[in-house]
Amino acid sequence: MTFLRRNVMLSRSRKFGRYPGARWVNCASGTIQRSIALLVLLSLLHPSRALAVNPDLDTVLTGSRQRIEKLDYRVTGRLTRVEGNGKRTSYKFVAKAHWFPDGLRLLSEISGPGSEKTSLLLHMTVSGHVTIEAVLPGEEAASVLPFERWNDPIVGADFSYEDMVESQFFWKNQTLLAPEKYGARDCFVLKSISGSQDRTYYDSVTSWIDSGILYPVHVVKTLRGTGQQKEFIYYGLRKIGGVWSATQVEAKLQGKPGSSILVIEAGSGKANLGRKDFDISPSSAQQRK
């Protein structure tokens, strides 16, 4: 009987010894699962914050987005296509942009050597979603430019319609590569990768961004499907009214001789623009003259 009693007591002690441990494991597992669920929820609500675990990445993204979100300018200049044999064709370029509560609006007009003119109105939301309206040569009214034409060259230049805005900084997938020098400038190297939700012809955009002023000095865009690359070089960086800008941008398409150069000759960085300034209809353009 004594032996039996001792066995019963040992059996009971083992049972009671297991259950507290099991309860602790279940409690720890539940805490981990809740923590993971919270992180997932935060990443869905604030994708840019979830991506920016690297403080330098957060700095680059915040600085690049805020620069665009402060735009309010008018500029005039010229767009020149330089052929491989040195022949140049120049177009008059006029543009204005302003960031409104619903995103960026950019209206530009490119006038050819003759009387033909191309008018473009681009709208980009805070999520990087872009729409484009255009009045092309020979057309009398504005219409939405179909996505199939976004990669078409503007007046034969190396700039496409899509290249007129920097939507890549608002894509969800952002990676900071190892810092590099571009010329004499110390640069952050940001790789922006497009997702299925992004309307773009580019797989990725890699930007060399001056670490002191957070303005791009060199950008390489890789086209979807073909892997062909387009290079952009920014010259004459200057700060006007607290905002950095480039006086000249050169675009080169891999495998295509020559390049295209956009030169800004005059403008205002604080234009105080309103919605009425972004009417693309031809009648409004005549009234503004």
Side-chain angles (χ1 to χ4, degrees):
M1 291 293 293
T2 304
F3 179 77
L4 179 61
R5 285 174 57 193
R6 290 179 65 184
N7 277 345
V8 170
M9 291 176 66
L10 286 170
S11 175
R12 287 178 177 174
S13 67
R14 286 170 184 161
K15 288 180 181 177
F16 283 109
R18 288 198 302 271
Y19 285 120
R23 286 197 296 270
W24 184 87
V25 170
N26 288 338
C27 180
S29 176
T31 301
I32 293 171
Q33 290 175 356
R34 286 193 294 272
S35 298
I36 293 173
L38 180 60
L39 287 172
V40 171
L41 179 60
L42 287 173
S43 70
L44 291 173
L45 292 175
H46 303 286
S48 63
R49 291 296 179 190
L51 286 168
V53 291
N54 181 333
D56 286 339
L57 176 58
D58 190 31
T59 297
V60 173
L61 285 177
T62 300
S64 298
R65 291 169 180 174
Q66 286 182 349
R67 171 177 61 83
I68 295 170
E69 290 168 0
K70 293 178 181 179
L71 291 179
D72 178 38
Y73 68 75
R74 293 178 187 268
V75 296
T76 60
R78 65 184 186 276
L79 174 61
T80 302
R81 167 64 188 162
V82 183
E83 305 294 342
N85 59 8
K87 178 184 176 182
R88 291 173 173 254
T89 306
S90 292
Y91 301 82
K92 182 180 177 181
F93 178 82
V94 178
K96 52 189 171 182
H98 185 90
W99 184 278
F100 294 96
D102 65 345
L104 178 70
R105 279 176 166 75
L106 186 151
L107 179 60
S108 60
E109 296 178 352
I110 302 100
S111 304
S115 59
E116 69 273 14
K117 181 172 67 176
T118 298
S119 299
L120 300 172
L121 176 61
L122 295 94
H123 177 223
M124 181 181 70
T125 68
V126 71
S127 64
H129 180 77
V130 177
T131 55
I132 304 175
E133 294 180 65
V135 181
L136 302 177
E139 297 181 355
E140 297 182 356
S143 59
V144 175
L145 190 73
F147 177 70
E148 292 74 19
R149 297 200 59 184
W150 282 20
N151 194 43
D152 289 358
I154 299 176
V155 295
D158 294 287
F159 294 90
S160 70
Y161 295 105
E162 181 182 349
D163 291 331
M164 302 306 288
V165 292
E166 300 173 287
S167 61
Q168 70 271 15
F169 292 121
F170 295 86
W171 296 346
K172 290 183 179 180
N173 302 320
Q174 307 283 349
T175 302
L176 200 62
L177 306 180
E180 293 181 3
K181 273 190 172 292
Y182 186 78
R185 296 179 180 271
D186 294 316
C187 296
F188 292 116
V189 183
L190 178 70
K191 186 171 185 178
S192 308
I193 304 170
S194 64
S196 58
Q197 73 280 359
D198 299 308
R199 297 186 73 200
T200 176
Y201 268 86
Y202 296 110
D203 265 328
S204 65
V205 178
T206 304
S207 306
W208 282 255
I209 300 172
D210 186 294
S211 58
I213 63 176
L214 296 180
Y215 194 90
V217 295
H218 182 219
V219 172
V220 174
K221 299 183 178 183
T222 303
L223 285 162
R224 282 180 174 172
T226 65
Q228 187 180 33
Q229 292 186 328
K230 187 187 292 188
E231 180 184 22
F232 299 81
I233 305 171
Y234 297 75
Y235 302 97
L237 302 189
R238 60 184 178 181
K239 192 175 185 180
I240 300 177
V243 179
W244 283 95
S245 62
T247 57
Q248 183 173 317
V249 184
E250 183 176 15
K252 300 179 181 180
L253 188 62
Q254 182 185 49
K256 181 180 178 182
S259 66
S260 297
I261 304 170
L262 177 61
V263 178
I264 303 303
E265 298 171 329
S268 169
K270 295 291 182 182
N272 298 316
L273 299 170
R275 290 291 182 97
K276 59 180 174 55
D277 295 298
F278 294 89
D279 188 345
I280 195 175
S281 64
S283 59
S284 296
Q286 290 296 327
Q287 292 172 8
R288 289 194 296 269
K289 292 180 181 179

PDB file of all heavy atoms in Angstrom, residues 96 98-103 105 107 121 123 272-280 288:
ATOM      1  N   LYS A  96       4.520  74.279 -65.565  1.00  0.00           N
ATOM      2  CA  LYS A  96       4.208  74.734 -64.211  1.00  0.00           C
ATOM      3  C   LYS A  96       3.699  73.541 -63.414  1.00  0.00           C
ATOM      4  O   LYS A  96       3.133  72.587 -63.974  1.00  0.00           O
ATOM      5  CB  LYS A  96       3.181  75.861 -64.230  1.00  0.00           C
ATOM      6  CG  LYS A  96       1.919  75.576 -65.033  1.00  0.00           C
ATOM      7  CD  LYS A  96       1.092  76.849 -65.156  1.00  0.00           C
ATOM      8  CE  LYS A  96      -0.065  76.668 -66.126  1.00  0.00           C
ATOM      9  NZ  LYS A  96      -0.842  77.907 -66.289  1.00  0.00           N
ATOM     10  N   HIS A  98       2.241  72.252 -59.238  1.00  0.00           N
ATOM     11  CA  HIS A  98       1.843  72.585 -57.870  1.00  0.00           C
ATOM     12  C   HIS A  98       1.307  71.326 -57.213  1.00  0.00           C
ATOM     13  O   HIS A  98       0.610  70.526 -57.843  1.00  0.00           O
ATOM     14  CB  HIS A  98       0.763  73.671 -57.861  1.00  0.00           C
ATOM     15  CG  HIS A  98       0.387  74.136 -56.484  1.00  0.00           C
ATOM     16  ND1 HIS A  98       1.020  75.190 -55.865  1.00  0.00           N
ATOM     17  CD2 HIS A  98      -0.543  73.681 -55.601  1.00  0.00           C
ATOM     18  CE1 HIS A  98       0.482  75.372 -54.662  1.00  0.00           C
ATOM     19  NE2 HIS A  98      -0.467  74.456 -54.483  1.00  0.00           N
ATOM     20  N   TRP A  99       1.664  71.159 -55.935  1.00  0.00           N
ATOM     21  CA  TRP A  99       1.145  70.032 -55.160  1.00  0.00           C
ATOM     22  C   TRP A  99      -0.107  70.490 -54.422  1.00  0.00           C
ATOM     23  O   TRP A  99      -0.061  71.373 -53.577  1.00  0.00           O
ATOM     24  CB  TRP A  99       2.192  69.517 -54.167  1.00  0.00           C
ATOM     25  CG  TRP A  99       1.721  68.304 -53.416  1.00  0.00           C
ATOM     26  CD1 TRP A  99       0.921  68.278 -52.304  1.00  0.00           C
ATOM     27  CD2 TRP A  99       1.983  66.932 -53.744  1.00  0.00           C
ATOM     28  NE1 TRP A  99       0.676  66.986 -51.924  1.00  0.00           N
ATOM     29  CE2 TRP A  99       1.312  66.145 -52.778  1.00  0.00           C
ATOM     30  CE3 TRP A  99       2.714  66.304 -54.750  1.00  0.00           C
ATOM     31  CZ2 TRP A  99       1.363  64.735 -52.791  1.00  0.00           C
ATOM     32  CZ3 TRP A  99       2.766  64.919 -54.769  1.00  0.00           C
ATOM     33  CH2 TRP A  99       2.091  64.151 -53.796  1.00  0.00           C
ATOM     34  N   PHE A 100      -1.239  69.857 -54.750  1.00  0.00           N
ATOM     35  CA  PHE A 100      -2.519  70.148 -54.109  1.00  0.00           C
ATOM     36  C   PHE A 100      -2.829  69.056 -53.082  1.00  0.00           C
ATOM     37  O   PHE A 100      -2.104  68.052 -53.003  1.00  0.00           O
ATOM     38  CB  PHE A 100      -3.626  70.213 -55.168  1.00  0.00           C
ATOM     39  CG  PHE A 100      -3.486  71.366 -56.131  1.00  0.00           C
ATOM     40  CD1 PHE A 100      -2.866  71.184 -57.372  1.00  0.00           C
ATOM     41  CD2 PHE A 100      -3.964  72.618 -55.810  1.00  0.00           C
ATOM     42  CE1 PHE A 100      -2.734  72.242 -58.257  1.00  0.00           C
ATOM     43  CE2 PHE A 100      -3.838  73.682 -56.695  1.00  0.00           C
ATOM     44  CZ  PHE A 100      -3.229  73.491 -57.924  1.00  0.00           C
ATOM     45  N   PRO A 101      -3.884  69.198 -52.287  1.00  0.00           N
ATOM     46  CA  PRO A 101      -4.224  68.151 -51.322  1.00  0.00           C
ATOM     47  C   PRO A 101      -4.411  66.771 -51.948  1.00  0.00           C
ATOM     48  O   PRO A 101      -4.169  65.748 -51.288  1.00  0.00           O
ATOM     49  CB  PRO A 101      -5.534  68.665 -50.707  1.00  0.00           C
ATOM     50  CG  PRO A 101      -5.414  70.152 -50.782  1.00  0.00           C
ATOM     51  CD  PRO A 101      -4.708  70.414 -52.083  1.00  0.00           C
ATOM     52  N   ASP A 102      -4.820  66.718 -53.222  1.00  0.00           N
ATOM     53  CA  ASP A 102      -5.016  65.413 -53.872  1.00  0.00           C
ATOM     54  C   ASP A 102      -3.816  64.999 -54.718  1.00  0.00           C
ATOM     55  O   ASP A 102      -3.892  64.042 -55.491  1.00  0.00           O
ATOM     56  CB  ASP A 102      -6.286  65.413 -54.722  1.00  0.00           C
ATOM     57  CG  ASP A 102      -6.198  66.377 -55.912  1.00  0.00           C
ATOM     58  OD1 ASP A 102      -5.288  67.236 -55.917  1.00  0.00           O
ATOM     59  OD2 ASP A 102      -7.034  66.258 -56.829  1.00  0.00           O
ATOM     60  N   GLY A 103      -2.690  65.715 -54.587  1.00  0.00           N
ATOM     61  CA  GLY A 103      -1.487  65.306 -55.306  1.00  0.00           C
ATOM     62  C   GLY A 103      -0.923  66.375 -56.229  1.00  0.00           C
ATOM     63  O   GLY A 103      -1.355  67.538 -56.224  1.00  0.00           O
ATOM     64  N   ARG A 105      -0.018  68.293 -59.734  1.00  0.00           N
ATOM     65  CA  ARG A 105      -0.446  68.581 -61.091  1.00  0.00           C
ATOM     66  C   ARG A 105       0.689  69.289 -61.816  1.00  0.00           C
ATOM     67  O   ARG A 105       1.258  70.244 -61.287  1.00  0.00           O
ATOM     68  CB  ARG A 105      -1.716  69.436 -61.105  1.00  0.00           C
ATOM     69  CG  ARG A 105      -2.989  68.621 -60.889  1.00  0.00           C
ATOM     70  CD  ARG A 105      -4.218  69.510 -60.804  1.00  0.00           C
ATOM     71  NE  ARG A 105      -5.442  68.727 -60.930  1.00  0.00           N
ATOM     72  CZ  ARG A 105      -5.945  67.958 -59.976  1.00  0.00           C
ATOM     73  NH1 ARG A 105      -5.325  67.886 -58.809  1.00  0.00           N
ATOM     74  NH2 ARG A 105      -7.050  67.267 -60.163  1.00  0.00           N
ATOM     75  N   LEU A 107       1.532  70.845 -65.691  1.00  0.00           N
ATOM     76  CA  LEU A 107       1.060  71.193 -67.035  1.00  0.00           C
ATOM     77  C   LEU A 107       2.238  71.708 -67.843  1.00  0.00           C
ATOM     78  O   LEU A 107       2.941  72.634 -67.420  1.00  0.00           O
ATOM     79  CB  LEU A 107      -0.023  72.263 -66.950  1.00  0.00           C
ATOM     80  CG  LEU A 107      -0.618  72.756 -68.281  1.00  0.00           C
ATOM     81  CD1 LEU A 107      -1.273  71.619 -69.057  1.00  0.00           C
ATOM     82  CD2 LEU A 107      -1.629  73.876 -68.031  1.00  0.00           C
ATOM     83  N   LEU A 121      -1.020  67.352 -69.304  1.00  0.00           N
ATOM     84  CA  LEU A 121      -1.397  67.565 -67.913  1.00  0.00           C
ATOM     85  C   LEU A 121      -1.251  66.235 -67.189  1.00  0.00           C
ATOM     86  O   LEU A 121      -1.966  65.275 -67.478  1.00  0.00           O
ATOM     87  CB  LEU A 121      -2.836  68.073 -67.803  1.00  0.00           C
ATOM     88  CG  LEU A 121      -3.368  68.227 -66.377  1.00  0.00           C
ATOM     89  CD1 LEU A 121      -2.536  69.251 -65.593  1.00  0.00           C
ATOM     90  CD2 LEU A 121      -4.840  68.622 -66.376  1.00  0.00           C
ATOM     91  N   HIS A 123      -1.224  64.173 -63.519  1.00  0.00           N
ATOM     92  CA  HIS A 123      -1.686  64.213 -62.129  1.00  0.00           C
ATOM     93  C   HIS A 123      -1.140  62.986 -61.419  1.00  0.00           C
ATOM     94  O   HIS A 123      -1.321  61.862 -61.879  1.00  0.00           O
ATOM     95  CB  HIS A 123      -3.216  64.226 -62.062  1.00  0.00           C
ATOM     96  CG  HIS A 123      -3.753  64.205 -60.657  1.00  0.00           C
ATOM     97  ND1 HIS A 123      -4.812  63.418 -60.274  1.00  0.00           N
ATOM     98  CD2 HIS A 123      -3.347  64.866 -59.535  1.00  0.00           C
ATOM     99  CE1 HIS A 123      -5.051  63.605 -58.989  1.00  0.00           C
ATOM    100  NE2 HIS A 123      -4.171  64.470 -58.519  1.00  0.00           N
ATOM    101  N   ASN A 272       2.723  80.460 -56.541  1.00  0.00           N
ATOM    102  CA  ASN A 272       1.390  80.625 -55.947  1.00  0.00           C
ATOM    103  C   ASN A 272       0.278  80.222 -56.919  1.00  0.00           C
ATOM    104  O   ASN A 272      -0.656  80.990 -57.181  1.00  0.00           O
ATOM    105  CB  ASN A 272       1.184  82.069 -55.480  1.00  0.00           C
ATOM    106  CG  ASN A 272       2.164  82.464 -54.396  1.00  0.00           C
ATOM    107  OD1 ASN A 272       2.403  81.695 -53.457  1.00  0.00           O
ATOM    108  ND2 ASN A 272       2.750  83.645 -54.511  1.00  0.00           N
ATOM    109  N   LEU A 273       0.397  79.030 -57.470  1.00  0.00           N
ATOM    110  CA  LEU A 273      -0.561  78.552 -58.467  1.00  0.00           C
ATOM    111  C   LEU A 273      -1.817  77.987 -57.814  1.00  0.00           C
ATOM    112  O   LEU A 273      -1.789  77.512 -56.674  1.00  0.00           O
ATOM    113  CB  LEU A 273       0.096  77.479 -59.339  1.00  0.00           C
ATOM    114  CG  LEU A 273       1.328  77.933 -60.129  1.00  0.00           C
ATOM    115  CD1 LEU A 273       2.022  76.736 -60.757  1.00  0.00           C
ATOM    116  CD2 LEU A 273       0.932  78.942 -61.192  1.00  0.00           C
ATOM    117  N   GLY A 274      -2.929  78.044 -58.572  1.00  0.00           N
ATOM    118  CA  GLY A 274      -4.202  77.477 -58.122  1.00  0.00           C
ATOM    119  C   GLY A 274      -4.745  76.511 -59.160  1.00  0.00           C
ATOM    120  O   GLY A 274      -4.157  76.309 -60.228  1.00  0.00           O
ATOM    121  N   ARG A 275      -5.893  75.927 -58.857  1.00  0.00           N
ATOM    122  CA  ARG A 275      -6.487  74.935 -59.767  1.00  0.00           C
ATOM    123  C   ARG A 275      -6.761  75.513 -61.141  1.00  0.00           C
ATOM    124  O   ARG A 275      -6.624  74.833 -62.157  1.00  0.00           O
ATOM    125  CB  ARG A 275      -7.794  74.397 -59.164  1.00  0.00           C
ATOM    126  CG  ARG A 275      -7.598  73.509 -57.935  1.00  0.00           C
ATOM    127  CD  ARG A 275      -6.950  72.196 -58.313  1.00  0.00           C
ATOM    128  NE  ARG A 275      -6.796  71.334 -57.163  1.00  0.00           N
ATOM    129  CZ  ARG A 275      -7.639  70.361 -56.833  1.00  0.00           C
ATOM    130  NH1 ARG A 275      -8.703  70.153 -57.583  1.00  0.00           N
ATOM    131  NH2 ARG A 275      -7.441  69.613 -55.775  1.00  0.00           N
ATOM    132  N   LYS A 276      -7.146  76.781 -61.196  1.00  0.00           N
ATOM    133  CA  LYS A 276      -7.482  77.399 -62.492  1.00  0.00           C
ATOM    134  C   LYS A 276      -6.284  77.450 -63.431  1.00  0.00           C
ATOM    135  O   LYS A 276      -6.443  77.587 -64.645  1.00  0.00           O
ATOM    136  CB  LYS A 276      -8.020  78.814 -62.278  1.00  0.00           C
ATOM    137  CG  LYS A 276      -7.057  79.738 -61.568  1.00  0.00           C
ATOM    138  CD  LYS A 276      -7.657  81.134 -61.388  1.00  0.00           C
ATOM    139  CE  LYS A 276      -6.763  82.028 -60.561  1.00  0.00           C
ATOM    140  NZ  LYS A 276      -5.400  82.166 -61.062  1.00  0.00           N
ATOM    141  N   ASP A 277      -5.077  77.355 -62.878  1.00  0.00           N
ATOM    142  CA  ASP A 277      -3.881  77.406 -63.706  1.00  0.00           C
ATOM    143  C   ASP A 277      -3.590  76.090 -64.416  1.00  0.00           C
ATOM    144  O   ASP A 277      -2.629  76.006 -65.185  1.00  0.00           O
ATOM    145  CB  ASP A 277      -2.668  77.773 -62.839  1.00  0.00           C
ATOM    146  CG  ASP A 277      -2.761  79.178 -62.262  1.00  0.00           C
ATOM    147  OD1 ASP A 277      -2.802  80.133 -63.070  1.00  0.00           O
ATOM    148  OD2 ASP A 277      -2.818  79.313 -61.028  1.00  0.00           O
ATOM    149  N   PHE A 278      -4.422  75.074 -64.179  1.00  0.00           N
ATOM    150  CA  PHE A 278      -4.145  73.757 -64.748  1.00  0.00           C
ATOM    151  C   PHE A 278      -5.291  73.259 -65.621  1.00  0.00           C
ATOM    152  O   PHE A 278      -5.600  72.067 -65.654  1.00  0.00           O
ATOM    153  CB  PHE A 278      -3.827  72.764 -63.617  1.00  0.00           C
ATOM    154  CG  PHE A 278      -2.548  73.096 -62.911  1.00  0.00           C
ATOM    155  CD1 PHE A 278      -2.552  73.953 -61.815  1.00  0.00           C
ATOM    156  CD2 PHE A 278      -1.336  72.599 -63.364  1.00  0.00           C
ATOM    157  CE1 PHE A 278      -1.364  74.287 -61.174  1.00  0.00           C
ATOM    158  CE2 PHE A 278      -0.145  72.931 -62.733  1.00  0.00           C
ATOM    159  CZ  PHE A 278      -0.161  73.777 -61.633  1.00  0.00           C
ATOM    160  N   ASP A 279      -5.900  74.190 -66.332  1.00  0.00           N
ATOM    161  CA  ASP A 279      -6.918  73.851 -67.328  1.00  0.00           C
ATOM    162  C   ASP A 279      -6.196  73.628 -68.657  1.00  0.00           C
ATOM    163  O   ASP A 279      -5.553  74.535 -69.185  1.00  0.00           O
ATOM    164  CB  ASP A 279      -7.940  74.987 -67.446  1.00  0.00           C
ATOM    165  CG  ASP A 279      -9.123  74.621 -68.328  1.00  0.00           C
ATOM    166  OD1 ASP A 279      -9.033  73.608 -69.069  1.00  0.00           O
ATOM    167  OD2 ASP A 279     -10.143  75.336 -68.268  1.00  0.00           O
ATOM    168  N   ILE A 280      -6.304  72.419 -69.189  1.00  0.00           N
ATOM    169  CA  ILE A 280      -5.551  72.059 -70.394  1.00  0.00           C
ATOM    170  C   ILE A 280      -6.287  72.377 -71.680  1.00  0.00           C
ATOM    171  O   ILE A 280      -5.741  72.232 -72.778  1.00  0.00           O
ATOM    172  CB  ILE A 280      -5.193  70.552 -70.354  1.00  0.00           C
ATOM    173  CG1 ILE A 280      -4.103  70.239 -71.405  1.00  0.00           C
ATOM    174  CG2 ILE A 280      -6.425  69.692 -70.526  1.00  0.00           C
ATOM    175  CD1 ILE A 280      -3.614  68.818 -71.349  1.00  0.00           C
ATOM    176  N   ARG A 288      -4.943  82.605 -71.505  1.00  0.00           N
ATOM    177  CA  ARG A 288      -3.740  82.896 -70.713  1.00  0.00           C
ATOM    178  C   ARG A 288      -2.760  83.765 -71.495  1.00  0.00           C
ATOM    179  O   ARG A 288      -1.981  84.494 -70.918  1.00  0.00           O
ATOM    180  CB  ARG A 288      -3.064  81.585 -70.290  1.00  0.00           C
ATOM    181  CG  ARG A 288      -3.838  80.830 -69.233  1.00  0.00           C
ATOM    182  CD  ARG A 288      -2.950  79.755 -68.623  1.00  0.00           C
ATOM    183  NE  ARG A 288      -2.567  78.744 -69.596  1.00  0.00           N
ATOM    184  CZ  ARG A 288      -3.247  77.623 -69.832  1.00  0.00           C
ATOM    185  NH1 ARG A 288      -4.396  77.407 -69.188  1.00  0.00           N
ATOM    186  NH2 ARG A 288      -2.826  76.736 -70.713  1.00  0.00           N
TER     187      ARG A 288
END
